[in-house]
Amino acid sequence: MKRQTGMTLIVKTITRLTVWLIILYGFYIILHGHLTPGGGFGGGVIIALAFLNVLLAYGREFTDKWLKISFLEKLESLSIILFLLLGITALLAGKLFLENFIGKGHLYHLLSAGTIPVFNIIIGIKVAMSLFLVIWILSGLKLEEGEEA
Amino acid sequence: MILPFYIIIPLFTAFLISLIGGKKDYAAVIFSVISVFSLVCLSLYGFFIGGRQILVYRMSAWDIPVGINLVQDSLSSFVLVMISIISLTSVLFSIQYIRHLSQDWKYYALFMLLLSGMNGVVLTGDLFNLFVFMEIALIAAFSLVAYGGRAEEYEAAFKYAVMGSVSSTLILVGIAVTYCSTSTLTLALIAERLPALNTKVVYWIGGLFMAGFGLKTAAMPFHAWLPDAHSSAPAPISSMLSGVLIKALGIYVLIRIFFNVLGAPELFMRIFMVLGTVSIIIGVFLAIGQWDMKRLLAYHSISQIGYILLGLGLATPLGILGAIFHMFNHAIFKGLLFYNAGAVEMALGTRNLKNLGNISKLLPVTSGTSMIASLSISGIPPFNGFFSKLIIIIAAIKSGHPVYAFLAVVGSILTLASFMKVQRYGFHGDRVIETKQTNVGLAMNGAMITLAVLCLVTSLMIVPGIKESILDPVIAVILNKTQYIQMVMGR
Amino acid sequence: MIIYLLCFVLFLVGIYGVITKRDLVKIILSLAIMGYSANLFLILFAYKKSALYPILEKGVDVPMVDPLPQALVLTSIVIELGTTALLVSLVAKLFQKYRTFDITKIRRLLG
């Protein structure tokens, strides 16, 4: 019998069923960041943990194929650049750096609080990507190789 | 208006480099040179044109008790000029030096992160924001120390990271105590509210920050990590760490907190003086016995930091003048000395003084500039080190501390002795070496010559007329606590 | 008051571990304990009796706990995450080079 990477069939099936639900919950937390507890950081962590589930259940090779790690790295760098560009846009609009430059809307509505939801989304991407990449890199470290001292 | 750009430019460059990634290394070099050069222009503009008054920038337009604010006064812009000059030469030096290590772009991205962290520390007017920027700079520094990928480098980086984490935790507890007692994190507001409180609070805060930032400064009882970390890093990074990082994260923050916020309490000034003098003597004694060139230089960093702390601890205008001036000078000549060591290591494959000989023919620029730097650090006129040390010693005598002054003179003589050893064995020895592995390129020589010229030019800063316009505003900022509060609060 | 003392004891446990333990991984764990005690300290400062979580809600008007230390703790947790990840990867690299986790055997640099 061919030896498979990752965990057993049960774990794989459960992961396949739940991973999108977890990601959806992460998006919910990110999008409601200006209304409820959570926000970019909390939601990003949840998304990263969903990816981590896949990594644990299916192993490194499948995850690399599924998520395209090099793409995630680009996305991580891009998110900070977007953050800074959004901050500079406020400067161009005649406001101070990172200042809110669009309408604030009504309190307790989903589309409110000006640029804060946008920043939340960017931070969510950044946190999800960097947290997952940290785990990815640490999981790739091998203790066996290397020379004797 | 220009204030956030000191942080935006290097941060943007760092992530732009990491976005472009591994394919085009020359793009990373070009981006970082452009970014550092624009920072030099920005900081010189800020110092000479914009820096005559305090600039306060409210991030995202929140007012001072609520939001984070950036403050640029004469002290900040002085340190910013120092950071950007050293980082420009360091990037120029890196272009050839880093090429033999793999994956240039990661190096430049980390370098830019280090730079943005330091600029942030210098500019911010908020205590916790200072902590965050400090951590950005430190994490980049840990990675850069380990960058070469040899066993010693990982070991040094691990020691550095453990010591850095301990000191950061102490600082975090200090911030907690500060927030608990003053219920604000803005430095100016803390300064305003502290005098009304119990003096024990000041001692608690001062003690915690003294231990935390003292570890970053590597004053004597907290010095153990410095020689390992600074001698194991790649040469341009050693010069950044020794020349700028321990000053931006250590000395600058100590000045800001102990002078502008706590108002120079007598007890801590005395601790500054004692730590400074102990660092001068023990640092130089440890340095004299070293045969590894970069390790010797790293121990001298401890000793020279001692001079700065001694000058600060005197708390007289003359002593602070000497400390500020010596801080700038030390950045320049210690940066230059580390470049020399890096160039020697690259060209000859060793930096052990016992294996070196007469290389003045082989590497004329390196040995010439190293002579200038050695004369500067050991305090020979007309180079800049002489004037700053002289001012510190005179200030110590004037304020009635002849013992400290005497020990500072002894330290200076021993410094001269140890650099005579470097010159005698390292650059003008008996054995003539005629083959070298690699040429020292134009950019590396350019970086060294620039700093060697600056060694002479900065000694002009003490000439009456120039001193009033450059150094005196900085001293005024340090000594005048209430002025800082009023300027930041806009009253 | 006792709770602050316990927090301080936690801090001392961390420092004790950093100073005396020889295993690299245990040093990292001790650093983490130190960090947690500092975070706990911040949260304890902000705590008020019979106060609610600091979130604005429709129709709820009771005193809140101070939200700022919670934001600070969140930030400092992230920073500690970064430092710990870096330390762990350094330890893995050190193990590759030296084949040991014992800090007394990792002495290629002198003093």
Side-chain angles (χ1 to χ4, degrees):
Chain A
M1 207 174 113
K2 200 183 156 206
R3 202 164 157 266
Q4 280 192 313
T5 56
M7 294 190 183
T8 56
L9 187 66
I10 301 169
V11 180
K12 280 186 180 173
T13 313
I14 298 289
T15 306
R16 198 162 54 227
L17 288 176
T18 55
V19 62
W20 287 107
L21 285 176
I22 301 174
I23 290 176
L24 190 66
Y25 182 61
F27 274 119
Y28 165 78
I29 294 280
I30 291 176
L31 289 178
H32 288 72
H34 53 293
L35 303 173
T36 57
F41 182 76
V45 171
I46 292 169
I47 293 178
L49 294 182
F51 291 166
L52 174 62
N53 264 355
V54 177
L55 176 64
L56 287 176
Y58 286 85
R60 277 174 68 88
E61 282 164 35
F62 177 84
T63 317
D64 195 7
K65 232 184 292 170
W66 186 57
L67 283 171
K68 297 194 185 58
I69 297 298
S70 58
F71 173 70
L72 295 193
E73 282 168 357
K74 300 288 174 217
L75 203 60
E76 193 215 346
S77 309
L78 194 64
S79 63
I80 285 284
I81 288 180
L82 281 177
F83 187 95
L84 288 174
L85 282 179
L86 203 60
I88 294 171
T89 318
L91 280 180
L92 295 182
K95 302 286 180 80
L96 295 177
F97 182 62
L98 290 177
E99 193 179 348
N100 184 24
F101 57 92
I102 52 180
K104 280 185 188 150
H106 300 284
L107 197 59
Y108 307 119
H109 283 213
L110 183 58
L111 289 175
S112 63
T115 47
I116 290 178
V118 188
F119 281 124
N120 260 334
I121 292 168
I122 292 172
I123 292 169
I125 296 170
K126 169 75 187 166
V127 170
M129 296 310 136
S130 34
L131 196 57
F132 179 67
L133 284 172
V134 164
I135 296 166
W136 172 261
I137 288 164
L138 287 183
S139 75
L141 286 174
K142 291 200 172 45
L143 294 182
E144 292 88 45
E145 63 190 37
E147 77 271 28
E148 292 286 324
Chain B
M1 204 57 215
I2 60 168
L3 286 191
F5 283 97
Y6 286 110
I7 301 160
I8 296 173
I9 291 174
L11 201 59
F12 194 88
T13 319
F15 285 95
L16 196 63
I17 289 170
S18 86
L19 183 65
I20 293 169
K23 285 157 214 141
K24 305 184 184 68
D25 273 347
Y26 64 90
V29 175
I30 291 169
F31 279 133
S32 41
V33 168
I34 290 173
S35 145
V36 174
F37 188 73
S38 57
L39 278 176
V40 170
C41 296
L42 203 60
S43 63
L44 285 175
Y45 169 81
F47 188 71
F48 285 111
I49 294 131
R52 291 289 79 112
Q53 78 276 25
I54 286 190
L55 300 173
V56 180
Y57 192 90
R58 296 169 303 137
M59 292 288 267
S60 62
W62 290 98
D63 283 328
I64 266 181
V66 181
I68 290 168
N69 54 321
L70 302 180
V71 181
Q72 187 187 26
D73 53 12
S74 303
L75 176 62
S76 310
S77 42
F78 187 75
V79 180
L80 280 175
V81 170
M82 185 179 89
I83 292 174
S84 46
I85 286 175
I86 300 295
S87 53
L88 176 64
T89 55
S90 184
V91 166
L92 287 180
F93 193 86
S94 307
I95 296 173
Q96 194 190 352
Y97 187 84
I98 292 299
R99 198 173 288 155
H100 66 276
L101 303 169
S102 60
Q103 290 184 312
D104 283 15
W105 63 275
K106 284 183 183 166
Y107 171 85
Y108 288 107
L110 285 171
F111 189 96
M112 287 296 142
L113 271 185
L114 177 70
L115 197 51
S116 59
M118 283 193 295
N119 280 351
V121 166
V122 173
L123 276 175
T124 184
D126 183 278
L127 195 54
F128 193 76
N129 202 23
L130 190 150
F131 175 77
V132 173
F133 278 122
M134 186 182 77
E135 289 295 322
I136 293 176
L138 278 178
I139 290 181
F142 303 152
S143 326
L144 282 169
V145 169
Y147 192 78
R150 288 198 301 268
E152 295 88 353
E153 283 155 11
Y154 290 129
E155 188 186 336
F158 185 80
K159 276 185 193 170
Y160 187 18
V162 169
M163 295 301 253
S165 309
V166 171
S167 68
S168 300
T169 313
L170 286 172
I171 292 165
L172 189 62
V173 175
I175 289 171
V177 174
T178 315
Y179 182 71
C180 173
S181 50
T182 61
S183 43
T184 179
L185 287 172
T186 311
L187 289 173
L189 271 177
I190 295 170
E192 199 178 47
R193 290 179 191 174
L194 266 183
L197 297 170
N198 194 340
T199 44
K200 274 182 190 156
V201 174
V202 175
Y203 289 142
W204 267 103
I205 297 171
L208 284 165
F209 283 143
M210 189 68 151
F213 290 109
L215 261 163
K216 309 269 194 257
T217 317
M220 198 54 204
F222 315 118
H223 71 285
W225 56 272
L226 186 138
D228 294 341
H230 288 198
S231 61
S232 303
I237 293 308
S238 306
S239 90
M240 280 299 274
L241 295 182
S242 230
V244 189
L245 188 84
I246 53 174
K247 302 198 184 68
L249 301 191
I251 300 285
Y252 167 81
V253 182
L254 284 178
I255 293 175
R256 194 54 102 198
I257 286 179
F258 281 93
F259 284 84
N260 285 148
V261 176
L262 300 183
E266 183 67 25
L267 173 70
F268 290 108
M269 292 302 110
R270 217 172 296 146
I271 294 176
F272 271 180
M273 278 193 281
V274 174
L275 288 188
T277 319
V278 172
S279 302
I280 289 173
I281 295 299
I282 299 183
V284 84
F285 267 117
L286 287 172
I288 262 185
Q290 299 296 326
W291 286 96
D292 182 340
M293 198 159 153
K294 274 170 94 172
R295 242 183 132 68
L296 187 146
L297 296 178
Y299 274 113
H300 271 296
S301 284
I302 299 173
S303 151
Q304 303 295 318
I305 283 292
Y307 281 98
I308 301 172
L309 284 178
L310 175 61
L312 283 177
L314 294 170
T316 56
L318 199 61
I320 288 170
L321 168 73
I324 292 296
F325 193 30
H326 198 67
M327 177 168 87
F328 196 86
N329 295 343
H330 179 249
I332 285 171
F333 54 66
K334 190 48 68 70
L336 178 51
L337 283 166
F338 271 116
Y339 294 155
N340 295 142
V344 168
E345 190 185 7
M346 204 185 78
L348 302 174
T350 177
R351 52 174 203 246
N352 192 335
L353 291 175
K354 282 176 185 162
N355 300 336
L356 294 172
N358 193 344
I359 53 173
S360 53
K361 287 268 166 52
L362 195 65
L363 301 165
V365 176
T366 309
S367 58
T369 50
S370 88
M371 180 63 96
I372 292 176
S374 305
L375 292 178
S376 296
I377 195 174
S378 29
I380 305 291
F383 297 102
N384 51 12
F386 168 71
F387 296 103
S388 45
K389 279 187 185 176
L390 187 69
I391 292 168
I392 291 172
I393 291 165
I394 290 174
I397 294 172
K398 263 188 160 177
S399 58
H401 298 287
V403 179
Y404 294 143
F406 173 73
L407 288 174
V409 172
V410 171
S412 185
I413 292 167
L414 289 174
T415 311
L416 181 62
S418 77
F419 275 94
M420 275 168 74
K421 169 180 157 185
V422 171
Q423 291 296 328
R424 173 73 181 77
Y425 288 95
F427 293 95
H428 302 282
D430 303 326
R431 205 149 42 90
V432 179
I433 296 175
E434 278 171 352
T435 50
K436 53 182 170 181
Q437 296 170 357
T438 25
N439 271 316
V440 175
L442 186 66
M444 283 169 88
N445 281 336
M448 286 189 276
I449 291 170
T450 313
L451 286 187
V453 171
L454 278 175
C455 271
L456 267 174
V457 171
T458 49
S459 58
L460 289 177
M461 284 206 303
I462 205 64
V463 174
I466 303 175
K467 170 176 165 284
E468 274 78 19
S469 68
I470 292 180
L471 292 173
D472 281 357
V474 183
I475 300 159
V477 164
I478 294 174
L479 282 175
N480 206 335
K481 177 186 165 190
T482 46
Q483 186 199 1
Y484 174 76
I485 301 171
Q486 279 165 357
M487 289 301 218
V488 174
M489 301 304 292
R491 296 196 205 116
Chain C
M1 197 61 219
I2 187 86
I3 200 155
Y4 289 100
L5 277 177
L6 287 176
C7 185
F8 186 64
V9 168
L10 196 63
F11 188 79
L12 290 184
V13 168
I15 284 197
Y16 172 81
V18 172
I19 293 170
T20 57
K21 291 295 167 196
R22 292 164 56 174
D23 193 308
L24 295 178
V25 179
K26 282 183 185 165
I27 290 177
I28 294 177
L29 291 179
S30 314
L31 282 177
I33 290 173
M34 268 178 81
Y36 293 149
S37 79
N39 293 343
L40 187 62
F41 201 46
L42 267 166
I43 289 290
L44 282 177
F45 278 143
Y47 178 72
K48 255 187 290 187
K49 242 186 184 163
S50 74
L52 272 186
Y53 45 81
I55 294 157
L56 208 58
E57 268 183 285
K58 256 182 199 164
V60 179
D61 191 25
V62 287
M64 299 169 175
V65 296
D66 191 349
L68 187 68
Q70 307 192 354
L72 303 189
V73 165
L74 197 62
T75 316
S76 96
I77 286 174
V78 179
I79 290 169
E80 273 161 27
L81 171 90
T83 318
T84 310
L86 188 69
L87 279 166
V88 168
S89 57
L90 279 177
V91 166
K93 291 286 182 186
L94 274 173
F95 188 79
Q96 283 180 11
K97 300 282 181 189
Y98 289 90
R99 313 302 303 167
T100 177
F101 281 129
D102 190 344
I103 194 144
T104 52
K105 292 188 182 130
I106 300 177
R107 298 197 67 89
R108 214 169 277 184
L109 290 166
L110 297 171

